[in-house]
């Protein structure tokens, strides 16, 4: 994400919205929680110093899905039903509330859970050689 992006805000449409970082190699922290900021990897600024590019989710705004890149990403869902896809890298996924789908993708991934274990359905769909 080269350029001088420092802050962006998101006001989504009325359909299914996704933050897609899948074509990036830098790690990202993507939060779908309204009123929070996401750190979307480094970006170049004048003087060749690195700053973290930030994306803000407006209050009362609901993003349904996030897709990580090939870095070690952290994806955080909101209180609604979310789909979180880690992609490559050693990712950490936290669904929040709702009926969430967490798919770590390739790598050594971590899912963070809260509440009672019996409230979850956990499937290992990894392919082995």
């Amino acid at each position: 994400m080269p350029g001088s992006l420092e802050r962006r805000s998101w006001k989504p449409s009325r359909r299914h919205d996704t933050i897609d970082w899948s074509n990036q190699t830098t790690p990202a922290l993507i939060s779908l929680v309204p009123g929070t900021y996401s750190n979307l990897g480094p970006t170049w600024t004048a003087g060749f110093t690195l700053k973290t590019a930030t994306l803000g989710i407006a209050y009362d705004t609901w993003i349904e899905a996030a897709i990580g890149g090939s870095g070690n990403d952290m994806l955080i869902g909101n209180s609604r039903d979310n789909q979180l896809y880690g992609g490559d890298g050693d990712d950490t996924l936290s669904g929040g509330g709702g009926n969430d789908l967490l798919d770590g993708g390739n790598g050594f991934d971590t899912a963070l859970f809260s509440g009672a274990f019996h409230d979850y359905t956990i499937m290992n769909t990894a392919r082995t050689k």
Side-chain angles (χ1 to χ4, degrees):
M1 216 165 129
S4 61
L5 171 68
E6 289 187 23
R7 283 209 173 161
R8 300 266 179 169
S9 62
W10 182 299
K11 191 68 176 167
S13 64
R14 292 181 183 227
R15 54 182 193 239
H16 186 85
D17 296 296
T18 302
I19 297 175
D20 187 344
W21 193 249
S22 62
N23 66 347
Q24 301 296 315
T25 59
T26 56
L29 182 147
I30 300 174
S31 174
L32 303 182
V33 178
T36 63
Y37 289 97
S38 296
N39 295 326
L40 299 176
T43 184
W44 290 97
T45 60
F48 297 101
T49 57
L50 291 175
K51 286 192 174 182
T52 302
T54 302
L55 173 72
I57 306 296
Y59 291 102
D60 296 324
T61 298
W62 300 100
I63 309 296
E64 293 81 15
I67 304 171
S70 60
N72 300 335
D73 304 313
M74 171 77 175
L75 308 179
I76 302 169
N78 56 42
S79 62
R80 298 203 177 168
D81 298 348
N82 300 130
Q83 299 85 45
L84 305 178
Y85 301 96
D88 292 339
D90 299 337
D91 306 307
T92 302
L93 310 174
S94 177
N99 185 15
D100 302 313
L101 170 82
L102 309 179
D103 183 341
N106 294 325
F108 187 77
D109 304 305
T110 302
L112 303 178
F113 300 101
S114 62
F117 183 76
H118 67 271
D119 290 337
Y120 297 94
T121 301
I122 300 171
M123 300 181 329
N124 181 357
T125 58
R127 295 183 199 150
T128 58
K129 294 182 179 183

